[in-house]
Every structure is written in structure tokens, then in C-alpha cells.
Amino acid sequence: MPLADAVSYPLWMNIAIFLVGAAVVWWGGGNLARSLDEIASRTGMSHALVGMLFLGGITSLPEVANVVTASAMGNPPLAINNLLGSAAINIVLLAVADAFVGRDAVTSVVAKPSTMMMGTLCMLVLIAVALAVIVGDIPVAGTIGLGSILICTLSIAFFVLAAGHDARSPWVLANAGERHDPEPEPTGSASLLGLSMQAALAALAIFVAGYALSQTGDALAQQTGLGSGLVGFLLIGFATSMPELSSIIASLKLRRYEMAFGQVLGTNFVNLSLLLLADIVYKEGAVIAELGRFEMISALLGAILTGIFLVGLLEHRNRTILRMGYDSAAVLLVFCGGVTLLWQTM
């Protein structure tokens, strides 16, 4: 049975397919983080760069699948709310992982200037999305809007700017090494080719499962009557962020703190650039013109959550509550408040 007909399946079957897809995405994220960590250790690559470039890009594959399928089916709000939901949820998952690992507050052991640069630039892109929704969009190339082109350009330019920031930065924290654990030595026996194949297999699993999530998510939105906004933001947003959660936890357990932050923020850059892809696939007009107050609040919520962690990175203090940093606890509280506001907006 093709997943394109998922709306004709019984509700229980769509829920089952959705859960299996989420489990596959979880498995792929954990395996991907371990493979890329080993590759980075053997090649001497920066773990922050690996997190941002490779983990961030590959774990965005479920969002790519959802954007293409949802936009092709004529449901751009489902696609865009998945992107904005993932941007906020990825930050939340970092807070959840902080509590799960339960060592120091995660922001107290991250010292790379590029991490703070990534957070700042990611906030700016999310604010730009909110502004574009307020102002509206103007088609400039067929049905493709100027707003989506500018947001995609900003995302890519800021991604590149943040990736090279450590090499250009004139400053480092004076106590950057005080709470850092020793760098683990590479322990795997697989060759670099074998590790690359493992990473490619995990990426393929993530993409295929992401497609299944997008198809069944659209069907669940119709069958439950919750609507594309909340289903895209919460249900599909959480499901397509499963590789991020599993790989964040794996990175923190490996003490690759910069890799965890780099992955979250790198993923958000990639996800926000996909607004242009949605515009290209959707043929009935500019995607941003289909958005409204719900999406504006979603974008601003992601910016606020990122800002909270940015404050924690700048403070660089090891203050914890319930096994997590104060900033992580604040992120969880603000997210709950934001979801309540979104619920009332529907």
C-alpha cells in the first residue's frame, strides 16, 4: 500500500507506522553520531564543525522529506510548521539531554566562540522568518517568493559565517579548559570507509523514515482534526527531531559538547533554508503568504529558546536544578508556555 494513500488507512495503522518511523529515525541518529565522532577523531576534524556540518545536515533529512511531500500535496502549513517546530524542539531536546546525562550544566562546558556565534545568527534567521510572515511575500520567480529566497540566503550565509568563526575569533574563555574532560581516543576497529558506509546507511534510514513520518503525519492531522499547525509543530516536529535527540545524547555521553550544540544549531540553519524548497515545490503561490499568526509565534518561540541558551553560554556557570542547568530548565518552562499560546492561537 503506498503511503501517499495514508489518509485512507485506519487511525491505528497510521499511528503504528508513525511510531515505527520515529523508532527508525531514533536508531539512525544514534548510529550517525557515533560514526561521525569516530571519523572526526581519526581525521582531526573539529567536533563543533562535524556537529554543525554533517550531523546538522544529515539529521535534517526527515524535514527535507516532509517539506517535499507536504508541499507537493498542497499543504505548505504542515511543511513550514514542521520546520519551525523542529527549530524550537531541537533546542528543547538539548535541555532534555542535559538532564538525561546529568553531569555539569551543558552550557558550562561549551567554550567555542563559534557556538555562541551560531546561536546569535540562528536567532536572527528565526526573527527574519517572523518578520516575513508579518510583512507578507512577493512572488519574483513564478510562484517563488522573495521572502523565502532571502531567508534561504541568510541561512546559508550565516551557516558559513559561523562554521569558520573559530579560526577568525580573537578571543577564547580564560577558563575554557577547567571543566573539560580529556579527549577520548578513537576506539573503533572499522576503517574510515566502513565508518563512512555506516554513516551513509544511517542517513538513508533517517530519510526513508522521515518520508513515512511526513505521509502519516498529514493523514493524522486530517483524521484527528487537530489541524496542520499543531500537528506539524508538535507531532511531526518531535518525530522528525528524533535523530537529533538520539545523537545529542550520544554526543554528550561521548563528552562532545560542542558537537551537540553544533548539531542542533546547524540543523536549524538547514531547516530554515528549506523554506525555499517548500516554495519551489508548492505551485499555488508563495508559501510565506499561506502563513499567519501561528507560524509567527512559532518562529519567535524558537528565537527566544535559542536566546536563553545563549545567555547560559555567556554566563558559563555550572548551576543546576533537577540534574540540568538553570538555562535548560528555563527552556523547558518557556516551551510549555509557548505551546499553550500556540494552542490558544488555533
Side-chain angles (χ1 to χ4, degrees):
M1 294 183 292
L3 283 178
D5 297 329
V7 71
S8 64
Y9 300 172
L11 179 62
W12 68 266
M13 183 178 293
N14 281 322
I15 292 174
I17 295 172
F18 193 90
L19 293 176
V20 170
V24 172
V25 165
W26 172 275
W27 170 88
N31 279 271
L32 186 65
R34 287 185 286 273
S35 299
L36 291 178
D37 173 66
E38 189 74 15
I39 291 171
S41 297
R42 294 191 189 187
T43 59
M45 294 178 64
S46 163
H47 284 84
L49 181 61
V50 167
M52 181 180 176
L53 188 59
F54 295 106
L55 267 179
I58 295 173
T59 55
S60 291
L61 290 174
E63 284 82 6
V64 173
N66 181 66
V67 163
V68 172
T69 53
S71 298
M73 290 186 298
N75 193 354
L78 181 70
I80 304 307
N81 279 297
N82 175 212
L83 298 179
L84 297 176
S86 292
I89 289 167
N90 287 342
I91 304 296
V92 171
L93 296 182
L94 194 55
V96 171
D98 187 11
F100 186 87
V101 175
R103 294 192 182 101
D104 299 321
V106 69
T107 50
S108 73
V109 288
V110 173
K112 294 283 187 181
S114 60
T115 305
M116 285 172 269
M117 176 63 84
M118 280 188 281
T120 304
L121 296 177
C122 192
M123 286 176 62
L124 293 178
V125 178
L126 284 163
I127 292 170
V129 172
L131 285 173
V133 174
I134 294 171
V135 173
D137 208 353
I138 304 171
V140 294
T143 59
I144 301 173
L146 177 62
S148 61
I149 294 173
L150 292 176
I151 290 168
C152 180
T153 303
L154 269 182
S155 300
I156 295 172
F158 285 173
F159 187 101
V160 173
L161 181 62
H165 183 66
D166 283 339
R168 302 187 309 271
S169 177
W171 64 274
V172 294
L173 290 177
N175 62 343
E178 286 184 7
R179 287 193 296 271
H180 273 257
D181 297 306
E183 284 286 316
E185 295 296 326
T187 57
S189 58
S191 65
L192 278 175
L193 178 60
L195 289 169
S196 299
M197 292 180 65
Q198 290 175 21
L201 177 62
L204 178 62
I206 289 170
F207 181 78
V208 173
Y211 171 76
L213 289 173
S214 67
Q215 294 289 324
T216 53
D218 180 69
L220 288 170
Q222 297 180 49
Q223 292 174 332
T224 61
L226 291 175
S228 299
L230 204 59
V231 168
F233 184 88
L234 275 181
L235 186 62
I236 302 181
F238 267 113
T240 56
S241 292
M242 284 297 100
E244 280 86 355
L245 178 58
S246 58
S247 54
I248 288 168
I249 290 175
S251 297
L252 294 183
K253 284 184 175 179
L254 291 166
R255 298 180 175 87
R256 306 300 192 191
Y257 306 110
E258 266 85 11
M259 189 164 81
F261 266 91
Q263 178 212 336
V264 166
L265 297 172
T267 299
N268 284 355
F269 279 125
V270 175
N271 286 351
L272 294 170
S273 72
L274 296 176
L275 273 166
L276 179 57
L277 178 61
D279 228 352
I280 292 171
V281 176
Y282 184 61
K283 300 300 184 183
E284 298 180 23
V287 164
I288 290 177
E290 302 287 332
L291 309 180
R293 188 182 176 197
F294 187 99
E295 289 75 22
M296 179 187 67
I297 295 173
S298 299
L300 292 176
L301 176 60
I304 292 169
L305 297 178
T306 305
I308 292 172
F309 263 133
L310 184 59
V311 171
L313 289 169
L314 291 168
E315 283 286 316
H316 207 66
R317 296 180 184 178
N318 187 23
R319 296 178 294 184
T320 60
I321 180 173
L322 299 176
R323 289 170 52 89
M324 71 181 79
Y326 278 30
D327 41 18
S328 293
V331 162
L332 294 178
L333 288 174
V334 172
F335 179 76
C336 291
V339 170
T340 301
L341 180 59
L342 288 171
W343 180 275
Q344 293 175 345
T345 305
M346 293 179 58

